C-alpha cells in the first residue's frame, strides 16, 4: 500500500478556509500522514534528521501551501534547504527520494483566469510552479500534476468543501505527468567544497 505524506505550510492556518479544511480532510482520512510545518516548527528551527526520516518512510510526498508571491511560504523554502541535502536527496550518494512520487497542492486568492498567457500575470500556473517540477527531476522523483484551487476569496463554503474531497481523491489516485527514469544523470559534474 502506498504511504502518502502531506507537508502543509500555511503561515496563518487558524485563519485559512481552504488549507485548514484540506488538512482536516487529510487527518480525517486516517490513511495519510500530515505534517503542519508552522505548527511543528513555530520557532522556524527545522529538525532535518526527523524530516528526512519521515520522507524515507513514505512513497508519495505532497507539499501543500497557499501560493505566496508566486512561490511557497518562507518556512517551506527553509524546509527545502534544510532537508534536500547533497548526498541525501541528490548528487553522489543522494538516492533517498529516487522513484518516490512528488507533487504540490496549492490555493490562490487570484482567479485562475489571471494565470493565462493573456491574463493579468501573463503566465500559467504550470509556469509559475516549474521550480517544483525541477525539484522532482533533480531528486529523481515522479511528478504529479499540481492540485490547485484558484480564486478562493470568491468561493462559497460548498465549493471549498467540494475542493477538499477532490483533494483527497487526488492524493489517493493522481498519476504522474512526469515519470522518472531511475537512472543517474552523469551530466552534473560540479565538485563542491566539503569544509
Amino acid at each position: 500500500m502506498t504511504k502518502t505524506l502531506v507537508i502543509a505550510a500555511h503561515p496563518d492556518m487558524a485563519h485559512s478556509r481552504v488549507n485548514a479544511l484540506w488538512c482536516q480532510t487529510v487527518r480525517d482520512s486516517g490513511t495519510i500522514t500530515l505534517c503542519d510545518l508552522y505548527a511543528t516548527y513555530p520557532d522556524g528551527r527545522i529538525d532535518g534528521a526527523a524530516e528526512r526520516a519521515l520522507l524515507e518512510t513514505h512513497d508519495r510526498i505532497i507539499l501543500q501551501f497557499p501560493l505566496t508571491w508566486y512561490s511557497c511560504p518562507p518556512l517551506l523554502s527553509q524546509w527545502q534547504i534544510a532537508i534536500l541535502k547533497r548526498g541525501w536527496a541528490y548528487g553522489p550518494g543522494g538516492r533517498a527520494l529516487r522513484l518516490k512520487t512528488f507533487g504540490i497542492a496549492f490555493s490562490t486568492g487570484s482567479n485562475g483566469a489571471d494565470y493565462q498567457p493573456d491574463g493579468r500575470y501573463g503566465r500559467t500556473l504550470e509556469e509559475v510552479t516549474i521550480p517544483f517540477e525541477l525539484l522532482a527531476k533533480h531528486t529523481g522523483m515522479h511528478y504529479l500534476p499540481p492540485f490547485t484551487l484558484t480564486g478562493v476569496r470568491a468561493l462559497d463554503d460548498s465549493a471549498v468543501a467540494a475542493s477538499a474531497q477532490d483533494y483527497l481523491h487526488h492524493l489517493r489516485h493522481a498519476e504522474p505527468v512526469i515519470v522518472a527514469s531511475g537512472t543517474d544523470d552523469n551530466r552534473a559534474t560540479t565538485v563542491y567544497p566539503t569544509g
Side-chain angles (χ1 to χ4, degrees):
M1 183 172 148
T2 301
K3 291 184 68 178
T4 301
L5 170 65
V6 172
I7 308 278
H10 193 298
D12 191 8
M13 194 70 82
H15 292 100
S16 165
R17 286 174 61 218
V18 173
N19 280 268
L21 182 58
W22 287 0
C23 285
Q24 190 57 54
T25 302
V26 167
R27 278 187 204 94
D28 291 347
S29 76
T31 59
I32 300 170
T33 305
L34 176 73
C35 175
D36 180 341
L37 285 185
Y38 280 89
T40 305
Y41 302 110
D43 62 357
R45 295 177 159 204
I46 296 168
D47 182 341
E51 292 295 313
R52 282 188 286 278
L54 189 59
L55 290 172
E56 287 174 351
T57 62
H58 289 81
D59 311 299
R60 207 167 166 99
I61 301 155
I62 308 295
L63 304 182
Q64 175 194 313
F65 54 92
L67 196 66
T68 307
W69 283 109
Y70 318 105
S71 188
C72 61
L75 190 60
L76 186 52
S77 289
Q78 282 179 247
W79 179 90
Q80 291 175 66
I81 292 165
I83 305 312
L84 304 176
K85 297 292 189 188
R86 181 176 168 83
W88 183 81
Y90 67 96
R95 304 295 178 269
L97 301 175
R98 176 148 306 195
L99 298 180
K100 291 181 183 285
T101 301
F102 174 76
I104 57 174
F106 63 94
S107 59
T108 73
S110 299
N111 188 289
D114 290 341
Y115 295 97
Q116 298 298 324
D118 61 347
R120 180 176 174 196
Y121 304 122
R123 296 284 185 246
T124 66
L125 286 172
E126 289 76 16
E127 291 174 299
V128 171
T129 57
I130 282 174
F132 297 99
E133 177 186 321
L134 295 177
L135 183 160
K137 285 185 176 187
H138 195 68
T139 57
M141 291 189 283
H142 309 302
Y143 187 63
L144 294 171
F147 181 85
T148 63
L149 184 64
T150 61
V152 298
R153 292 183 195 106
L155 296 179
D156 63 23
D157 290 346
S158 64
V160 173
S163 79
Q165 292 309 306
D166 291 344
Y167 180 40
L168 190 59
H169 184 269
H170 176 87
L171 291 173
R172 290 177 171 155
H173 303 291
E175 292 293 327
V177 290
I178 297 172
V179 176
S181 69
T183 60
D184 285 334
D185 183 346
N186 62 3
R187 291 174 291 179
T189 58
T190 305
V191 177
Y192 293 87
T194 57

